[in-house]
Amino acid sequence: SLIPFTTYNITVKAATTIGFGPASIGTLATTLQGVPTGSVMNITVTPTSSQIISVTWQLIPLRDRNGVIIKYNITYYSSRWMYGNTIQVNGSTTSVILDRLLPFTMYNITIRAATVIGFGPASIDAVTTTLQTVPSASPINVTATTLSQSTISVSWQPVPRRNQNGIITEYNITYNANQWTHTNTIQVSSSRLSVILDSLIPFTTYNITVKAATTIGFGPASIGTLVTTLQDVPTGSVMNITVTPTSSQTISVTWQPIPLRDRNGVITKYNVTYSYNSSQWTQYNTIQVDSNMTSAVLGTLIPFTTYNITIRAATIIGFGPASVGVLTTTLQAAPSSSPINVTVTPLSAKTISVNWQPVATRNRNGIITKYDVTYYSSRWSHGNTIQVNGRTTSVILDRLLPFTMYNITIRAATVIGFGPSSVYSLATTPHAAPSSFPINITVTPMSAWALSVTWQPPSARHRNGIITKYNITYQSNQWIAATAVGFGPSSAGALVTTLQAVPSKSPINVKVVPSSAWTLNITWQPLPVGDRNGIIVTYNITYYSDKWMHGNIIQVSGSSTSAVLDGLIPFTTYNITVTAATIIGFGPSSVETFATTLQSTPGIHPMLQSVSLVNNNTVKVKWQAFCPFIDIFLYITVPATPPIQFTATPGTLAATSIIVNWSPPLQIDQNGIITSYKISYWLTVTGNVTNNVTIITGNITRHALYNLSPSSKYSLQVAAATSVGFGSYHTPVTHLTHPAVVPNITESPRSNTVAAGADITMECRASGDPIPTVQWLNNNQPILPVYDMIARPGYGKLFITKSNTGDNGAYQCLFTNIKATSLSEIANIYVTDRNIAGFCLGEIMSKMRWPKTYNGYTATTRCPESIEGNATRSCYLDTNDNPIWADIDTTNCKSSTFSLVSTLTQKLDNMGVNTSQMVINTLASSTSNRQLYGGDIVAAVSALTKLNRVTNTTTQLEFKKLVTIQSNLFNLQNKEGWKYSEKFCQTNADTQDILSNLEELASKAIITMVNGTIAFNANNLDVDIYDLNGASANTDFYATGNGIKTSRIQLSLPKEAIQNGKFSKAIIASYKTLDQIIPNSPVNLSNINPAGSTIKMNSKLVSVAFYPRISGNLSHPIRIIFENTDVNL
């Protein structure tokens, strides 16, 4: 029981019974070593890291060492992980470092000391835990699920406990999009095992990792989990947009795709939106292009318009934001419409002021640089185009023709060219003095004191107004025409010599010198030229002696200025006068000159007493001889014989004209001055005289007869007249006209290709006998009077102003006379127009010519020939965005007869029923057998309305006419006139619905009924009137008229309803054509047709009215049965 490895001092002492004696000297002896019986003391374990524990201890008490401690075994063990080890250290060591331990792991540590014999007991367990460290593994089972375009759900399970290396305090979830270098990390507490990542980039593949953390830090991340967010609309827009206007209506657009980061998906398409704004309009439009395109061409744009162009890209989800707008302006084009509000005001006979407002901004298509103002008179083919600056909105047209109607149009131009012309504005210049004198002036001397003057008015072009009077200045032989404004220029002097007359004065400076008893020498000077009144052919020298009543007259040549009187009585004083004579007769005698012959033997001669002028046609001569005075008077009467040398020869047009020539009757037979001639001619057919024509001419001896029949035998005669009357006819002469000549085309119209808006003129000519008439054809059909045309015998001229594609065609002239017809060569007219997008093209429709018109606008044109006013027609887009024409609105077109109707209607206000009969008769004739226009129907409805208001009663005959008038309005040929009936079929101050008018007029009719009813039947309308007896009615009313029967309707009204309403008349009107006349009407009758679309009138219309009218409902119901006779329905 010794203590091992202990040195003992052993002494031995002996004892007796008494006790021990001294011990022997000590002998030292040491026990062998043994295993320690004790363990180390004061073990201290200190974790210095997550994998290291520092262990220190104190030696085993010496008592328990039992030898030399040569080594220690340090054992550490984690029961949790069943992990541990034993390390051995030198016996001289009292500390050791345990490493490679598991982090955050509780270890039981024991130490055993060993001697050479072996190990002693283990120490009491020293327990310690390694420090925490970052987890050595990542969370496991990481999953990621896409929730939306910007969210992903991430979940995981914790790090295996063995690898947690501490208490997990948090998790880091890292998501990374490599293509965008987009990385982010979010932290969540250790209590969470899932998270939703938001604000992600759409359509992006994310690498998601999760790592756990202790207080020391984070462990490794999990293996990346790849997941892609859903697509979204792009968050960015395309880049580097380039816009280039390529024309006035197109823009080229190019771009680069959206950056990948902003696409948010696969781009499937692009929307290119272009818009423009103004104070008047806004337009947006979008075209779509495929995703593989990065360019587009925008078309059908408005010229010279600034467009804001944006582009949006789309994924399958939708469109992203629009790009920043890029502005560009389309190139200029010619304006697409004309200047507006054109007003024309005549300022003077040769000037018109034209004012306008610029083309509507939307239709300018550029900067207006200039205007063309075109004025044209189709009557005179006179006109011109003047150009003014684009900033100008007025101009004064000068050098115009007075009293001339001008068609004035204005068109605007950009740098590209001119747009369409405005609708014609008509203006007539005021009257002016004629600019030319009368023509074909014929002056015929009727006597020495009278000239017969005939003329034709100045040519129509130079009249400058209505000729109101003429000034004939015969002092200067000039003719002047005048309008209300004044006189025009004088005609050129018409040189004509009046017939000779007797001289108005006598010779002058008469001197008489006696040369013997029987002779006197006489000298004189001729009359002043102005007094001669003709050519002096002779002089009469009258000498007379009162004393002896002796005298005589001697005649000498008119060229003489002296004479010798011989055979006189000597020594006799003679009263001598000299008288000049023309071929007409003698003028007055000179003042008496007294001279006495020298003395000689006397002689006796008759003596002239006096010569005096009684009047222009009578000369009284008195003389004294050896007998009483004798008075001689000369009288005028009709010619004693007809003209002589009468001939008839072919005229220039030998088939249709004759020239007749003749000479006056012999002078001796004229019995006065010939004043005129009378030509009579007739056609003799199989012995019968037909077409006797008499023409009275002036004092001429040649005349041309025109418009005669070819190959016809004419008889002709002529008679002469003095102021007293006509003498006898010349014996008839005959003339056979030549055969007719086929028309021969001498000029055909010419083909032409022009740009739209240009004016076109075509001419054609033909000869023939008779001269042929002309008719213009287009595509073998007569041309409607929508163009200005000149048509004269043998000549045609056609004006196409402001041409459009509707004028294209094959034009010809058809010349016709009684012999044959001839066609000219074809002129192909082709109008090109490159600006037609969005336009309704020009055309000729319903006898009217329509100009090209842009959609959304209304065209205006003249109503058909002889119809007053303008028609309108709108251009609009159909469901396929194609421009099409609407129906023609003729509510402003009125026939001249309906202008009279309107005038008479106005008189109804003042004259009332006194004018009613005239209005009814005028309406009856105006509406019968003719096509009515909208304006005609407006006038008729207005007249009927006013007639109804001023009329208290109508006769049976008047009402029959009213039914006929109403029937005429509904003739099928008037269908076009009813197209815009909503404009005038409304109850207002001037019009009442047309059915009510007729019913009320029927209620006022004083008529004789047979068996209580009367029928009025017309082509399109039947009216039946029934006598209901009012409060005295004793039977139910049954409608029995043919009109309602043919409509397959049975109608009845109980007598109680008649009695209570006191109805005296029932009026039933059956309309037969309204289903074809009245257009479909878009209405919203929710109580009848819930769809509210269109009510189509597809059957006859029956109107039923009871008079007098009552307010409120019928006391008993009316019964109406509609009978179906179609077994298939």
Side-chain angles (χ1 to χ4, degrees), residues 19-39:
F20 285 96
S24 62
I25 294 172
T27 298
L28 295 178
T30 301
T31 55
L32 296 176
Q33 295 187 59
V35 294
T37 55
S39 61

Side-chain angles (χ1 to χ4, degrees), residues 606-629:
M607 299 184 65
L608 178 68
Q609 183 174 358
S610 67
V611 178
S612 62
L613 181 67
V614 176
N615 56 41
N616 287 345
N617 301 316
T618 308
V619 177
K620 183 176 183 181
V621 181
K622 288 187 179 182
W623 68 91
Q624 186 176 11
F626 297 106
C627 60
F629 289 110

Side-chain angles (χ1 to χ4, degrees), residues 838-840 853-859 873-877 883-886:
F839 285 89
C840 291
T853 302
Y854 195 70
N855 72 82
Y857 288 81
T858 299
R873 195 180 187 195
S874 297
C875 176
Y876 67 97
L877 296 179
I884 60 173
W885 284 110

Side-chain angles (χ1 to χ4, degrees), residues 176-224:
N176 175 40
N178 290 329
Q179 66 265 47
W180 312 131
T181 317
H182 176 232
T183 301
N184 199 6
T185 299
I186 63 172
Q187 283 183 350
V188 298
S189 68
S190 61
S191 61
R192 293 179 60 183
L193 295 177
S194 66
V195 71
I196 292 177
L197 307 179
D198 56 11
S199 301
L200 304 182
I201 300 171
F203 198 60
T204 298
T205 299
Y206 281 91
N207 186 14
I208 301 173
T209 59
V210 183
K211 56 184 179 179
T214 62
T215 55
I216 303 303
F218 285 96
S222 62
I223 297 172

Side-chain angles (χ1 to χ4, degrees), residues 368-703:
I368 302 300
T369 58
K370 56 188 174 183
Y371 293 96
D372 263 8
V373 183
T374 299
Y375 55 96
Y376 183 73
S377 166
S378 58
R379 184 178 184 188
W380 310 126
S381 299
H382 174 257
N384 199 2
T385 298
I386 64 173
Q387 210 167 78
V388 297
N389 188 282
R391 295 184 297 273
T392 300
T393 57
S394 65
V395 69
I396 293 178
L397 308 178
D398 56 8
R399 301 182 184 179
L400 305 180
L401 301 178
F403 195 59
T404 298
M405 178 181 287
Y406 282 93
N407 289 333
I408 300 171
T409 59
I410 305 174
R411 59 178 185 171
T414 63
V415 293
I416 303 303
F418 283 96
S421 298
S422 61
V423 176
Y424 288 128
S425 295
L426 300 178
T428 301
T429 49
H431 294 252
S435 55
S436 182
F437 43 79
I439 59 176
N440 297 332
I441 300 169
T442 303
V443 185
T444 304
M446 302 298 294
S447 70
W449 299 276
L451 296 173
S452 172
V453 185
T454 62
W455 62 90
Q456 292 178 349
S459 61
R461 177 162 181 175
H462 296 101
R463 292 178 192 171
N464 299 342
I466 299 172
I467 301 299
T468 58
K469 55 188 174 183
Y470 293 94
N471 264 14
I472 300 96
T473 304
Y474 54 87
Q475 289 87 348
S476 59
N477 296 329
Q478 291 180 335
W479 286 258
I480 307 173
T483 63
V485 175
F487 284 98
S490 299
S491 65
L495 299 178
V496 64
T497 303
T498 52
L499 298 179
Q500 297 188 60
V502 296
S504 54
K505 290 188 178 180
S506 59
I508 59 176
N509 296 329
V510 177
K511 295 180 181 180
V512 183
V513 177
S515 57
S516 71
W518 296 274
T519 59
L520 290 173
N521 290 336
I522 302 174
T523 61
W524 62 88
Q525 292 179 353
L527 288 72
V529 174
D531 298 325
R532 295 179 187 175
N533 296 342
I535 298 172
I536 303 299
V537 294
T538 186
Y539 289 100
N540 272 9
I541 298 98
T542 301
Y543 56 93
Y544 184 73
S545 169
D546 292 330
K547 181 177 180 179
W548 308 117
M549 293 188 292
H550 170 255
N552 200 1
I553 297 174
I554 66 170
Q555 204 168 65
V556 298
S557 167
S559 60
S560 300
T561 56
S562 65
V564 176
L565 302 179
D566 58 5
L568 304 180
I569 298 173
F571 198 61
T572 297
T573 299
Y574 283 92
N575 181 7
I576 302 166
T577 60
V578 181
T579 305
T582 62
I583 59 171
I584 302 303
F586 286 96
S589 298
S590 62
V591 177
E592 294 175 331
T593 300
F594 294 94
T596 303
T597 55
L598 298 179
Q599 296 186 46
S600 182
T601 58
I604 298 175
H605 293 281
M607 299 184 65
L608 178 68
Q609 183 174 358
S610 67
V611 178
S612 62
L613 181 67
V614 176
N615 56 41
N616 287 345
N617 301 316
T618 308
V619 177
K620 183 176 183 181
V621 181
K622 288 187 179 182
W623 68 91
Q624 186 176 11
F626 297 106
C627 60
F629 289 110
I630 298 175
D631 289 343
I632 301 175
F633 291 90
L634 303 177
Y635 292 97
I636 295 175
T637 184
V638 298
T641 61
I644 60 177
Q645 299 175 356
F646 182 49
T647 62
T649 58
T652 303
L653 299 172
T656 56
S657 65
I658 299 174
I659 304 297
V660 289
N661 292 273
W662 64 90
S663 295
L666 295 174
Q667 185 76 32
I668 193 171
D669 297 321
Q670 292 181 9
N671 293 338
I673 298 173
I674 300 300
T675 58
S676 61
Y677 293 92
K678 177 170 62 176
I679 303 166
S680 180
Y681 63 95
W682 61 91
L683 184 62
T684 302
V685 181
T686 62
N688 296 321
V689 175
T690 60
N691 300 327
N692 197 329
V693 179
T694 299
I695 298 173
I696 297 177
T697 70
N699 188 11
I700 59 175
T701 58
R702 177 185 173 92
H703 188 76

Side-chain angles (χ1 to χ4, degrees), residues 6 52 101 160 302 327 373 402 412 496 500 550 612 641 730 738 801 807 809 998 1003 1007 1033 1078 1128:
T6 300
I52 300 173
L101 303 181
I302 299 174
L327 300 178
V373 183
V496 64
Q500 297 188 60
H550 170 255
S612 62
T641 61
H730 188 286
H738 290 196
T801 56
D807 301 315
L998 187 67
S1003 72
I1007 52 182
I1078 303 298
N1128 296 317

Side-chain angles (χ1 to χ4, degrees), residues 978-1026:
W978 285 98
K979 286 290 187 182
Y980 287 82
S981 56
E982 71 274 6
K983 285 190 173 183
F984 52 87
C985 282
Q986 298 173 358
T987 302
N988 53 45
D990 297 318
T991 60
Q992 180 172 324
D993 74 76
I994 194 166
L995 306 187
S996 296
N997 264 331
L998 187 67
E999 292 164 358
E1000 291 187 6
L1001 288 167
S1003 72
K1004 301 174 183 178
I1006 301 175
I1007 52 182
T1008 302
M1009 299 188 188
V1010 178
N1011 297 324
T1013 183
I1014 188 171
F1016 297 89
N1017 304 115
N1019 292 335
N1020 307 309
L1021 173 66
D1022 292 327
V1023 178
D1024 297 306
I1025 304 177
Y1026 301 85

Side-chain angles (χ1 to χ4, degrees), residues 295-315:
S295 66
V297 175
L298 308 179
T300 319
L301 306 181
I302 299 174
F304 199 60
T305 297
T306 298
Y307 281 90
N308 183 20
I309 299 171
T310 59
I311 304 174
R312 299 171 67 198
T315 63

